[in-house]
Amino acid sequence: MDPTTDNAGNTGDPGTARASLEALRAEIAKAVVGQDPAVTGLVVALLCRGHVLLEGVPGVAKTLLVRALASALELDTKRVQFTPDLMPSDVTGSLVYDTRTAEFSFQPGPVFTNLLLADEINRTPPKTQSSLLEAMEERQVTVDGTPRLLPDPFLVAATQNPVEYEGTYPLPEAQLDRFLLKLTIPLPSRQDEISVLTRHAEGFNPRDLRAAGVRPVAGPADLEAARAAVAKTTVSPEITGYVVDICRATRESPSLTLGVSPRGATALLATARAWAWLTGRDYVIPDDVKALALPTLRHRVQLRPEAEMEGVTADSVINAILAHVPVPR
């Protein structure tokens, strides 16, 4: 096989990479109904080398979504169920004594994969949550002073339940800021829920994606070509100023105690570029920034208690800012 061609038959040509990534929606729809925005968000994160926080009540197919994405992209995936007794070494790996050689050898943890599903990340203590910080930021794990590189691509998709907070450990702002996007997974519409039940009645097995017809339609070569194309997407000075103005407005909002940091502004620019390329343009327009503002910024701001009591949400504050910040022409 040509080294530039992956097992899905994709050559990594920029012209075909976009079409292959667009085909993901149809492929994942064979297993997951009605979650196109979440699929798009995960693809944007892969293009930007970022990570995703998935928030939704149990039973809305968060785990199935990540597994279907990995299958359609021909990527390795592992799942870790975060619990109060989970240790950092259970995630990163540890040194194990080999009695045959009388030496310690490194046993990789589940973090050594392409797509890591960190299920219910807020149910484990901060010590274990922090075990992902180096992996998410540096793309490596250090054990006993030795850094070990993670595979590329590498994406952490962490889930949390927005309703049940008893016995949980909320993620600190520093770790929330490491997530490129926070995607909310809503309950399906009535028609989508009927489609889900109909599939199950017809024998759909969520644990057997091959039987559901999910096949690789893109691969690592496509991701590399797409990332290179995204990096060449033009950003005008006006768009850069627009992103900065939005983020600065969050720092001045009377409803917020914490606004978006410069890292958040960088993230918004990156996601807007990826979205522009996915929609077929080689330049960014204000609508690209608006389209990604909520998922990129909602977890980077902190509401004042009095605003929260009045029913104000992070999304409503950001939407109000988008409505008032002048749009470049």
Side-chain angles (χ1 to χ4, degrees), residues 49-91:
R49 291 183 169 86
H51 308 285
V52 175
L53 184 61
L54 299 170
E55 188 172 270
V57 298
V60 290
K62 298 186 293 293
T63 301
L64 180 60
L65 175 62
V66 175
R67 288 181 53 241
L69 177 69
S71 181
L73 278 173
E74 209 171 26
L75 298 176
D76 183 43
T77 182
K78 290 185 175 68
R79 176 179 178 270
V80 178
Q81 181 66 49
F82 279 72
T83 56
D85 60 347
L86 194 74
M87 299 298 291
S89 58
D90 295 329
V91 179

mmCIF file of all heavy atoms in Angstrom, residues 49-91:
data_model
loop_
_atom_site.group_PDB
_atom_site.id
_atom_site.type_symbol
_atom_site.label_atom_id
_atom_site.label_comp_id
_atom_site.label_asym_id
_atom_site.label_seq_id
_atom_site.Cartn_x
_atom_site.Cartn_y
_atom_site.Cartn_z
ATOM 1 N N ARG A 49 -6.714 20.054 16.659
ATOM 2 C CA ARG A 49 -5.942 19.333 17.682
ATOM 3 C C ARG A 49 -6.411 19.715 19.090
ATOM 4 O O ARG A 49 -5.596 19.913 19.999
ATOM 5 C CB ARG A 49 -4.440 19.608 17.535
ATOM 6 C CG ARG A 49 -3.827 18.995 16.275
ATOM 7 C CD ARG A 49 -2.320 19.241 16.207
ATOM 8 N NE ARG A 49 -1.684 18.456 15.162
ATOM 9 C CZ ARG A 49 -1.589 18.831 13.904
ATOM 10 N NH1 ARG A 49 -2.075 20.004 13.529
ATOM 11 N NH2 ARG A 49 -1.009 18.061 12.997
ATOM 12 N N GLY A 50 -7.717 19.819 19.249
ATOM 13 C CA GLY A 50 -8.287 20.189 20.532
ATOM 14 C C GLY A 50 -9.058 19.045 21.164
ATOM 15 O O GLY A 50 -9.099 17.928 20.633
ATOM 16 N N HIS A 51 -9.688 19.332 22.293
ATOM 17 C CA HIS A 51 -10.437 18.337 23.046
ATOM 18 C C HIS A 51 -11.857 18.841 23.288
ATOM 19 O O HIS A 51 -12.129 20.049 23.192
ATOM 20 C CB HIS A 51 -9.735 18.036 24.367
ATOM 21 C CG HIS A 51 -8.290 17.694 24.211
ATOM 22 N ND1 HIS A 51 -7.858 16.478 23.734
ATOM 23 C CD2 HIS A 51 -7.165 18.443 24.410
ATOM 24 C CE1 HIS A 51 -6.533 16.466 23.675
ATOM 25 N NE2 HIS A 51 -6.091 17.647 24.078
ATOM 26 N N VAL A 52 -12.754 17.910 23.609
ATOM 27 C CA VAL A 52 -14.179 18.241 23.659
ATOM 28 C C VAL A 52 -14.781 17.773 24.986
ATOM 29 O O VAL A 52 -14.508 16.656 25.441
ATOM 30 C CB VAL A 52 -14.934 17.575 22.487
ATOM 31 C CG1 VAL A 52 -16.427 17.815 22.618
ATOM 32 C CG2 VAL A 52 -14.422 18.103 21.163
ATOM 33 N N LEU A 53 -15.597 18.643 25.567
ATOM 34 C CA LEU A 53 -16.390 18.288 26.737
ATOM 35 C C LEU A 53 -17.831 18.112 26.279
ATOM 36 O O LEU A 53 -18.443 19.045 25.756
ATOM 37 C CB LEU A 53 -16.298 19.396 27.795
ATOM 38 C CG LEU A 53 -16.998 19.144 29.133
ATOM 39 C CD1 LEU A 53 -16.407 17.930 29.830
ATOM 40 C CD2 LEU A 53 -16.899 20.373 30.029
ATOM 41 N N LEU A 54 -18.351 16.897 26.428
ATOM 42 C CA LEU A 54 -19.714 16.580 26.016
ATOM 43 C C LEU A 54 -20.615 16.591 27.247
ATOM 44 O O LEU A 54 -20.371 15.846 28.203
ATOM 45 C CB LEU A 54 -19.777 15.200 25.355
ATOM 46 C CG LEU A 54 -18.951 15.005 24.087
ATOM 47 C CD1 LEU A 54 -18.929 13.533 23.709
ATOM 48 C CD2 LEU A 54 -19.508 15.828 22.937
ATOM 49 N N GLU A 55 -21.630 17.433 27.213
ATOM 50 C CA GLU A 55 -22.537 17.526 28.360
ATOM 51 C C GLU A 55 -23.942 17.133 27.949
ATOM 52 O O GLU A 55 -24.500 17.684 27.000
ATOM 53 C CB GLU A 55 -22.535 18.948 28.937
ATOM 54 C CG GLU A 55 -23.294 19.064 30.241
ATOM 55 C CD GLU A 55 -23.111 20.417 30.897
ATOM 56 O OE1 GLU A 55 -22.165 20.581 31.699
ATOM 57 O OE2 GLU A 55 -23.908 21.326 30.596
ATOM 58 N N GLY A 56 -24.499 16.172 28.669
ATOM 59 C CA GLY A 56 -25.849 15.711 28.375
ATOM 60 C C GLY A 56 -26.282 14.688 29.396
ATOM 61 O O GLY A 56 -25.451 14.053 30.050
ATOM 62 N N VAL A 57 -27.590 14.532 29.556
ATOM 63 C CA VAL A 57 -28.099 13.567 30.520
ATOM 64 C C VAL A 57 -27.766 12.151 30.046
ATOM 65 O O VAL A 57 -27.479 11.929 28.865
ATOM 66 C CB VAL A 57 -29.631 13.725 30.689
ATOM 67 C CG1 VAL A 57 -29.964 15.098 31.229
ATOM 68 C CG2 VAL A 57 -30.354 13.473 29.371
ATOM 69 N N PRO A 58 -27.759 11.169 30.951
ATOM 70 C CA PRO A 58 -27.471 9.788 30.533
ATOM 71 C C PRO A 58 -28.469 9.304 29.487
ATOM 72 O O PRO A 58 -29.656 9.638 29.520
ATOM 73 C CB PRO A 58 -27.615 8.991 31.836
ATOM 74 C CG PRO A 58 -27.361 9.994 32.924
ATOM 75 C CD PRO A 58 -27.919 11.284 32.410
ATOM 76 N N GLY A 59 -27.957 8.525 28.530
ATOM 77 C CA GLY A 59 -28.828 7.894 27.553
ATOM 78 C C GLY A 59 -29.054 8.654 26.268
ATOM 79 O O GLY A 59 -29.969 8.326 25.503
ATOM 80 N N VAL A 60 -28.224 9.688 25.986
ATOM 81 C CA VAL A 60 -28.396 10.440 24.736
ATOM 82 C C VAL A 60 -27.307 10.095 23.723
ATOM 83 O O VAL A 60 -27.038 10.861 22.808
ATOM 84 C CB VAL A 60 -28.436 11.971 25.000
ATOM 85 C CG1 VAL A 60 -29.712 12.353 25.699
ATOM 86 C CG2 VAL A 60 -27.211 12.430 25.796
ATOM 87 N N ALA A 61 -26.654 8.955 23.913
ATOM 88 C CA ALA A 61 -25.702 8.385 22.928
ATOM 89 C C ALA A 61 -24.369 9.106 22.867
ATOM 90 O O ALA A 61 -23.742 9.158 21.816
ATOM 91 C CB ALA A 61 -26.336 8.338 21.539
ATOM 92 N N LYS A 62 -23.898 9.648 23.991
ATOM 93 C CA LYS A 62 -22.584 10.300 23.986
ATOM 94 C C LYS A 62 -21.470 9.290 23.701
ATOM 95 O O LYS A 62 -20.585 9.540 22.883
ATOM 96 C CB LYS A 62 -22.343 10.998 25.336
ATOM 97 C CG LYS A 62 -23.338 12.106 25.665
ATOM 98 C CD LYS A 62 -22.964 12.855 26.926
ATOM 99 C CE LYS A 62 -23.061 12.006 28.175
ATOM 100 N NZ LYS A 62 -24.450 11.624 28.501
ATOM 101 N N THR A 63 -21.524 8.153 24.397
ATOM 102 C CA THR A 63 -20.503 7.122 24.179
ATOM 103 C C THR A 63 -20.589 6.557 22.774
ATOM 104 O O THR A 63 -19.571 6.390 22.085
ATOM 105 C CB THR A 63 -20.680 5.990 25.208
ATOM 106 O OG1 THR A 63 -20.569 6.531 26.527
ATOM 107 C CG2 THR A 63 -19.617 4.911 25.006
ATOM 108 N N LEU A 64 -21.786 6.279 22.322
ATOM 109 C CA LEU A 64 -21.978 5.729 20.975
ATOM 110 C C LEU A 64 -21.473 6.702 19.914
ATOM 111 O O LEU A 64 -20.893 6.288 18.899
ATOM 112 C CB LEU A 64 -23.459 5.421 20.748
ATOM 113 C CG LEU A 64 -23.844 4.836 19.389
ATOM 114 C CD1 LEU A 64 -23.127 3.515 19.143
ATOM 115 C CD2 LEU A 64 -25.353 4.653 19.297
ATOM 116 N N LEU A 65 -21.658 7.988 20.147
ATOM 117 C CA LEU A 65 -21.209 9.009 19.196
ATOM 118 C C LEU A 65 -19.696 8.947 19.013
ATOM 119 O O LEU A 65 -19.195 8.963 17.878
ATOM 120 C CB LEU A 65 -21.636 10.392 19.698
ATOM 121 C CG LEU A 65 -21.156 11.599 18.892
ATOM 122 C CD1 LEU A 65 -21.711 11.557 17.480
ATOM 123 C CD2 LEU A 65 -21.559 12.894 19.593
ATOM 124 N N VAL A 66 -18.952 8.863 20.110
ATOM 125 C CA VAL A 66 -17.491 8.821 20.031
ATOM 126 C C VAL A 66 -17.030 7.523 19.374
ATOM 127 O O VAL A 66 -16.121 7.515 18.533
ATOM 128 C CB VAL A 66 -16.868 8.973 21.431
ATOM 129 C CG1 VAL A 66 -15.351 8.796 21.372
ATOM 130 C CG2 VAL A 66 -17.212 10.339 22.015
ATOM 131 N N ARG A 67 -17.662 6.404 19.725
ATOM 132 C CA ARG A 67 -17.291 5.122 19.126
ATOM 133 C C ARG A 67 -17.575 5.109 17.619
ATOM 134 O O ARG A 67 -16.775 4.592 16.827
ATOM 135 C CB ARG A 67 -18.043 3.992 19.805
ATOM 136 C CG ARG A 67 -17.579 3.684 21.227
ATOM 137 C CD ARG A 67 -18.339 2.530 21.856
ATOM 138 N NE ARG A 67 -18.326 1.358 21.012
ATOM 139 C CZ ARG A 67 -19.426 0.786 20.507
ATOM 140 N NH1 ARG A 67 -20.629 1.294 20.771
ATOM 141 N NH2 ARG A 67 -19.330 -0.286 19.741
ATOM 142 N N ALA A 68 -18.701 5.695 17.216
ATOM 143 C CA ALA A 68 -19.035 5.748 15.790
ATOM 144 C C ALA A 68 -18.065 6.641 15.035
ATOM 145 O O ALA A 68 -17.663 6.322 13.902
ATOM 146 C CB ALA A 68 -20.468 6.239 15.610
ATOM 147 N N LEU A 69 -17.672 7.746 15.655
ATOM 148 C CA LEU A 69 -16.693 8.642 15.021
ATOM 149 C C LEU A 69 -15.364 7.924 14.821
ATOM 150 O O LEU A 69 -14.760 8.007 13.746
ATOM 151 C CB LEU A 69 -16.501 9.893 15.875
ATOM 152 C CG LEU A 69 -15.441 10.880 15.373
ATOM 153 C CD1 LEU A 69 -15.909 11.557 14.089
ATOM 154 C CD2 LEU A 69 -15.129 11.932 16.431
ATOM 155 N N ALA A 70 -14.916 7.222 15.847
ATOM 156 C CA ALA A 70 -13.647 6.497 15.739
ATOM 157 C C ALA A 70 -13.710 5.435 14.646
ATOM 158 O O ALA A 70 -12.748 5.238 13.897
ATOM 159 C CB ALA A 70 -13.299 5.855 17.079
ATOM 160 N N SER A 71 -14.852 4.746 14.539
ATOM 161 C CA SER A 71 -15.005 3.709 13.522
ATOM 162 C C SER A 71 -15.017 4.309 12.122
ATOM 163 O O SER A 71 -14.382 3.781 11.202
ATOM 164 C CB SER A 71 -16.298 2.929 13.781
ATOM 165 O OG SER A 71 -16.465 1.901 12.835
ATOM 166 N N ALA A 72 -15.712 5.436 11.951
ATOM 167 C CA ALA A 72 -15.807 6.071 10.632
ATOM 168 C C ALA A 72 -14.497 6.727 10.217
ATOM 169 O O ALA A 72 -14.247 6.927 9.029
ATOM 170 C CB ALA A 72 -16.937 7.099 10.620
ATOM 171 N N LEU A 73 -13.647 7.057 11.204
ATOM 172 C CA LEU A 73 -12.350 7.666 10.907
ATOM 173 C C LEU A 73 -11.206 6.651 10.963
ATOM 174 O O LEU A 73 -10.058 7.015 10.762
ATOM 175 C CB LEU A 73 -12.060 8.798 11.900
ATOM 176 C CG LEU A 73 -12.703 10.153 11.600
ATOM 177 C CD1 LEU A 73 -12.461 11.119 12.753
ATOM 178 C CD2 LEU A 73 -12.143 10.735 10.312
ATOM 179 N N GLU A 74 -11.544 5.399 11.288
ATOM 180 C CA GLU A 74 -10.535 4.346 11.396
ATOM 181 C C GLU A 74 -9.450 4.718 12.407
ATOM 182 O O GLU A 74 -8.250 4.625 12.147
ATOM 183 C CB GLU A 74 -9.908 4.053 10.029
ATOM 184 C CG GLU A 74 -9.430 2.626 9.896
ATOM 185 C CD GLU A 74 -9.005 2.288 8.483
ATOM 186 O OE1 GLU A 74 -8.604 3.196 7.742
ATOM 187 O OE2 GLU A 74 -9.085 1.102 8.133
ATOM 188 N N LEU A 75 -9.915 5.139 13.592
ATOM 189 C CA LEU A 75 -9.015 5.517 14.670
ATOM 190 C C LEU A 75 -9.218 4.582 15.861
ATOM 191 O O LEU A 75 -10.306 4.060 16.086
ATOM 192 C CB LEU A 75 -9.262 6.965 15.106
ATOM 193 C CG LEU A 75 -9.040 8.057 14.062
ATOM 194 C CD1 LEU A 75 -9.424 9.408 14.632
ATOM 195 C CD2 LEU A 75 -7.579 8.080 13.600
ATOM 196 N N ASP A 76 -8.160 4.416 16.635
ATOM 197 C CA ASP A 76 -8.247 3.619 17.852
ATOM 198 C C ASP A 76 -8.953 4.427 18.940
ATOM 199 O O ASP A 76 -8.762 5.647 19.044
ATOM 200 C CB ASP A 76 -6.838 3.242 18.317
ATOM 201 C CG ASP A 76 -6.865 2.358 19.549
ATOM 202 O OD1 ASP A 76 -7.686 1.428 19.599
ATOM 203 O OD2 ASP A 76 -6.065 2.607 20.470
ATOM 204 N N THR A 77 -9.784 3.773 19.730
ATOM 205 C CA THR A 77 -10.489 4.464 20.814
ATOM 206 C C THR A 77 -10.513 3.597 22.055
ATOM 207 O O THR A 77 -10.564 2.368 21.973
ATOM 208 C CB THR A 77 -11.932 4.831 20.394
ATOM 209 O OG1 THR A 77 -12.563 5.553 21.455
ATOM 210 C CG2 THR A 77 -12.763 3.592 20.095
ATOM 211 N N LYS A 78 -10.456 4.252 23.213
ATOM 212 C CA LYS A 78 -10.579 3.572 24.500
ATOM 213 C C LYS A 78 -11.501 4.382 25.402
ATOM 214 O O LYS A 78 -11.632 5.598 25.236
ATOM 215 C CB LYS A 78 -9.210 3.390 25.166
ATOM 216 C CG LYS A 78 -8.311 2.368 24.476
ATOM 217 C CD LYS A 78 -7.034 2.151 25.254
ATOM 218 C CE LYS A 78 -6.189 1.040 24.637
ATOM 219 N NZ LYS A 78 -5.645 1.409 23.334
ATOM 220 N N ARG A 79 -12.131 3.691 26.342
ATOM 221 C CA ARG A 79 -13.078 4.326 27.250
ATOM 222 C C ARG A 79 -12.634 4.116 28.688
ATOM 223 O O ARG A 79 -12.257 3.011 29.065
ATOM 224 C CB ARG A 79 -14.477 3.744 27.053
ATOM 225 C CG ARG A 79 -15.545 4.255 28.002
ATOM 226 C CD ARG A 79 -16.878 3.606 27.657
ATOM 227 N NE ARG A 79 -17.939 4.019 28.560
ATOM 228 C CZ ARG A 79 -18.245 3.389 29.682
ATOM 229 N NH1 ARG A 79 -17.553 2.320 30.045
ATOM 230 N NH2 ARG A 79 -19.237 3.829 30.446
ATOM 231 N N VAL A 80 -12.667 5.187 29.483
ATOM 232 C CA VAL A 80 -12.369 5.101 30.907
ATOM 233 C C VAL A 80 -13.582 5.606 31.668
ATOM 234 O O VAL A 80 -14.043 6.734 31.443
ATOM 235 C CB VAL A 80 -11.130 5.936 31.293
ATOM 236 C CG1 VAL A 80 -10.884 5.853 32.794
ATOM 237 C CG2 VAL A 80 -9.908 5.464 30.532
ATOM 238 N N GLN A 81 -14.118 4.777 32.563
ATOM 239 C CA GLN A 81 -15.223 5.192 33.415
ATOM 240 C C GLN A 81 -14.618 5.836 34.667
ATOM 241 O O GLN A 81 -14.014 5.169 35.495
ATOM 242 C CB GLN A 81 -16.078 3.988 33.811
ATOM 243 C CG GLN A 81 -17.273 4.347 34.684
ATOM 244 C CD GLN A 81 -18.283 5.211 33.936
ATOM 245 O OE1 GLN A 81 -18.680 4.893 32.824
ATOM 246 N NE2 GLN A 81 -18.683 6.317 34.552
ATOM 247 N N PHE A 82 -14.769 7.148 34.786
ATOM 248 C CA PHE A 82 -14.180 7.861 35.920
ATOM 249 C C PHE A 82 -15.042 7.651 37.158
ATOM 250 O O PHE A 82 -16.237 7.923 37.150
ATOM 251 C CB PHE A 82 -14.038 9.343 35.593
ATOM 252 C CG PHE A 82 -12.825 9.649 34.761
ATOM 253 C CD1 PHE A 82 -12.768 9.283 33.429
ATOM 254 C CD2 PHE A 82 -11.726 10.275 35.317
ATOM 255 C CE1 PHE A 82 -11.638 9.542 32.659
ATOM 256 C CE2 PHE A 82 -10.595 10.541 34.563
ATOM 257 C CZ PHE A 82 -10.558 10.175 33.230
ATOM 258 N N THR A 83 -14.412 7.167 38.219
ATOM 259 C CA THR A 83 -15.087 6.878 39.475
ATOM 260 C C THR A 83 -14.289 7.496 40.617
ATOM 261 O O THR A 83 -13.111 7.867 40.443
ATOM 262 C CB THR A 83 -15.193 5.359 39.697
ATOM 263 O OG1 THR A 83 -13.871 4.787 39.650
ATOM 264 C CG2 THR A 83 -16.068 4.702 38.635
ATOM 265 N N PRO A 84 -14.875 7.625 41.807
ATOM 266 C CA PRO A 84 -14.159 8.247 42.935
ATOM 267 C C PRO A 84 -12.870 7.535 43.330
ATOM 268 O O PRO A 84 -11.968 8.160 43.893
ATOM 269 C CB PRO A 84 -15.188 8.198 44.069
ATOM 270 C CG PRO A 84 -16.513 8.215 43.382
ATOM 271 C CD PRO A 84 -16.306 7.419 42.131
ATOM 272 N N ASP A 85 -12.769 6.218 43.055
ATOM 273 C CA ASP A 85 -11.570 5.484 43.464
ATOM 274 C C ASP A 85 -10.559 5.304 42.335
ATOM 275 O O ASP A 85 -9.567 4.585 42.491
ATOM 276 C CB ASP A 85 -11.953 4.122 44.039
ATOM 277 C CG ASP A 85 -12.696 3.247 43.028
ATOM 278 O OD1 ASP A 85 -13.115 3.788 41.976
ATOM 279 O OD2 ASP A 85 -12.872 2.041 43.288
ATOM 280 N N LEU A 86 -10.777 5.955 41.196
ATOM 281 C CA LEU A 86 -9.843 5.835 40.069
ATOM 282 C C LEU A 86 -8.553 6.581 40.393
ATOM 283 O O LEU A 86 -8.578 7.709 40.886
ATOM 284 C CB LEU A 86 -10.472 6.409 38.798
ATOM 285 C CG LEU A 86 -9.770 6.073 37.481
ATOM 286 C CD1 LEU A 86 -10.025 4.629 37.094
ATOM 287 C CD2 LEU A 86 -10.269 6.998 36.361
ATOM 288 N N MET A 87 -7.420 5.964 40.114
ATOM 289 C CA MET A 87 -6.114 6.564 40.378
ATOM 290 C C MET A 87 -5.511 7.120 39.087
ATOM 291 O O MET A 87 -5.817 6.639 37.991
ATOM 292 C CB MET A 87 -5.168 5.523 40.978
ATOM 293 C CG MET A 87 -5.644 4.945 42.306
ATOM 294 S SD MET A 87 -5.774 6.210 43.585
ATOM 295 C CE MET A 87 -4.037 6.592 43.837
ATOM 296 N N PRO A 88 -4.623 8.127 39.196
ATOM 297 C CA PRO A 88 -3.980 8.673 37.991
ATOM 298 C C PRO A 88 -3.293 7.610 37.139
ATOM 299 O O PRO A 88 -3.346 7.662 35.911
ATOM 300 C CB PRO A 88 -2.969 9.674 38.565
ATOM 301 C CG PRO A 88 -3.561 10.109 39.861
ATOM 302 C CD PRO A 88 -4.252 8.889 40.402
ATOM 303 N N SER A 89 -2.655 6.640 37.788
ATOM 304 C CA SER A 89 -1.954 5.599 37.033
ATOM 305 C C SER A 89 -2.917 4.712 36.249
ATOM 306 O O SER A 89 -2.512 4.071 35.273
ATOM 307 C CB SER A 89 -1.120 4.728 37.977
ATOM 308 O OG SER A 89 -1.942 4.131 38.971
ATOM 309 N N ASP A 90 -4.201 4.671 36.675
ATOM 310 C CA ASP A 90 -5.195 3.910 35.925
ATOM 311 C C ASP A 90 -5.479 4.552 34.572
ATOM 312 O O ASP A 90 -6.027 3.910 33.671
ATOM 313 C CB ASP A 90 -6.506 3.799 36.719
ATOM 314 C CG ASP A 90 -6.344 3.009 37.999
ATOM 315 O OD1 ASP A 90 -5.506 2.091 38.017
ATOM 316 O OD2 ASP A 90 -7.052 3.319 38.973
ATOM 317 N N VAL A 91 -5.124 5.818 34.421
ATOM 318 C CA VAL A 91 -5.347 6.557 33.178
ATOM 319 C C VAL A 91 -4.065 6.612 32.350
ATOM 320 O O VAL A 91 -4.061 6.327 31.160
ATOM 321 C CB VAL A 91 -5.859 7.984 33.466
ATOM 322 C CG1 VAL A 91 -6.056 8.759 32.165
ATOM 323 C CG2 VAL A 91 -7.146 7.940 34.268
#
